Amino acid sequence: MSSVANPPPDYPKPNLSHMVAAVVSMVSALALAGAFLPGLIYLDACTTIGSLIMMPPLIGFAIQQYRGTFRANETALLTAAAGALLPVGLAGLMLVTLSFQGAPLDLLSMVGGVLLIFGGAAAANFHWYRTLRLAPAECRFVPSRRGISLREMFFAVAAIGLIFAVGLPLAKPHYAHKVAASETPFSLPKGAKDVTYMDRNPQTFYMYTVDEQTFLDFYQDSYELEPIEGSASILALTNCTETAYNITRKQVFQGWVYEWHHEDQGTYLIYDRDQQRVYYHSHTR
């Protein structure tokens, strides 16, 4: 007597594009959460409060995105879709505003990347939600799952590892005097040395030594540098000690200058050709 094997159950599964969008958005959210980790290591009122506000929603989004995509949980899927729309709206508004303000290219690229990543995730989530809602009418049911699998435990450990992998290298003291570029929380050109900085919300100051060509190669694609005519000035650190950094206005007569400001935000950059010294100052309010 012959027997016919039962066909495998037919139930809706996320397609490849949705899985890719979900994974990219989860990794991005966890990486952003990691970027806020230093605020919980080097305590500072504004930074620490910001970390406490931002990290839980980012981690929560990653969890809900996983549950919605790979466990077909409709509630989690809608939560993740709504969570993705928030950075999409903020990034879109920022992109338009910064474009009219002439913001640096690297900042525009970063905001645009956030818009694309979370916009793609939101679109994929809504499409997957519609697929799940229509499936019962076609007698296609997603099998229920309970508990946590060994694979999911591995993913959880990997997620925690990603947060620390991003956050720990960024966990630098809020100020330092004459240190190597690798000991700072900033992306500086190769060969930068004697770095002094103070990074306390809402202001960032740093200065370092580097040759002019390296300076130009590093900055000219992102900043509209102009040669200094007459003189230019910038707020810079001076009389640095272990306990207090003084801020005075530095006057430079030869080199390069960049300046952008809008209302209470600003970014300023000067290269002093005589001293081969770079001075940077930014503020968010």
Side-chain angles (χ1 to χ4, degrees):
M1 182 175 179
S2 61
S3 60
V4 179
N6 292 326
D10 178 29
Y11 58 89
K13 303 178 183 67
N15 58 37
L16 179 61
S17 61
H18 183 199
M19 289 190 289
V20 170
V23 171
V24 171
S25 64
M26 287 189 293
V27 170
S28 300
L30 292 171
L32 287 172
F36 286 99
L37 183 63
L40 304 182
I41 299 175
Y42 290 99
L43 301 182
D44 169 74
C46 292
T47 307
T48 301
I49 292 173
S51 297
L52 291 173
I53 293 174
M54 295 301 299
M55 289 185 71
L58 289 168
I59 296 172
F61 167 81
I63 294 172
Q64 296 295 72
Q65 182 67 69
Y66 177 87
R67 294 179 64 233
T69 302
F70 300 103
R71 286 200 165 205
N73 184 296
E74 294 180 14
T75 302
L77 195 57
L78 282 180
T79 303
L85 286 178
L86 179 60
V88 166
L90 292 175
L93 181 61
M94 287 181 60
L95 193 61
V96 173
T97 303
L98 292 173
S99 297
F100 281 109
Q101 295 173 0
L105 181 60
D106 55 351
L107 179 58
L108 293 174
S109 300
M110 181 179 67
V111 176
V114 171
L115 179 64
L116 290 176
I117 289 171
F118 288 97
N125 285 341
F126 283 119
H127 180 269
W128 179 224
Y129 176 78
R130 183 174 180 274
T131 300
L132 292 176
R133 294 293 292 175
L134 294 175
E138 303 170 355
C139 296
R140 303 168 68 218
F141 301 94
V142 178
S144 61
R145 294 175 56 188
R146 295 183 179 180
I148 300 176
S149 67
L150 184 62
R151 182 176 62 180
E152 289 172 333
M153 292 177 64
F154 171 78
F155 288 157
V157 172
I160 295 172
L162 175 61
I163 291 173
F164 280 91
V166 172
L168 290 181
L170 299 177
K172 308 292 185 180
H174 291 302
Y175 54 85
H177 182 46
K178 290 189 175 180
V179 298
S182 59
E183 298 178 53
T184 75
F186 313 111
S187 174
L188 301 178
K190 185 177 181 181
K193 59 183 180 180
D194 293 337
V195 186
T196 295
Y197 73 87
M198 182 174 70
D199 186 23
R200 300 298 295 267
N201 198 317
Q203 298 199 82
T204 297
F205 296 88
Y206 58 74
M207 54 188 184
Y208 61 89
T209 300
V210 75
D211 67 87
E212 184 171 355
Q213 190 57 53
T214 300
F215 166 81
L216 292 173
D217 291 343
F218 188 79
Y219 287 105
Q220 63 184 356
D221 289 338
S222 301
Y223 294 82
E224 296 181 1
L225 298 169
E226 297 180 356
I228 295 175
E229 297 180 358
S231 67
S233 65
I234 188 172
L235 290 177
L237 303 174
T238 186
N239 296 330
C240 303
T241 68
E242 294 182 358
T243 56
Y245 285 15
N246 295 326
I247 300 172
T248 59
R249 185 160 290 278
K250 171 73 176 178
Q251 200 82 7
V252 177
F253 298 94
Q254 294 188 62
W256 300 89
V257 60
Y258 168 82
E259 179 176 321
W260 171 81
H261 59 85
H262 177 74
E263 295 181 352
D264 57 352
Q265 303 178 47
T267 300
Y268 315 90
L269 178 70
I270 280 185
Y271 181 79
D272 186 338
R273 182 176 294 136
D274 294 334
Q275 301 295 323
Q276 292 194 321
R277 197 79 170 151
V278 178
Y279 298 90
Y280 175 92
H281 170 220
S282 67
H283 57 87
T284 56
R285 67 172 184 266

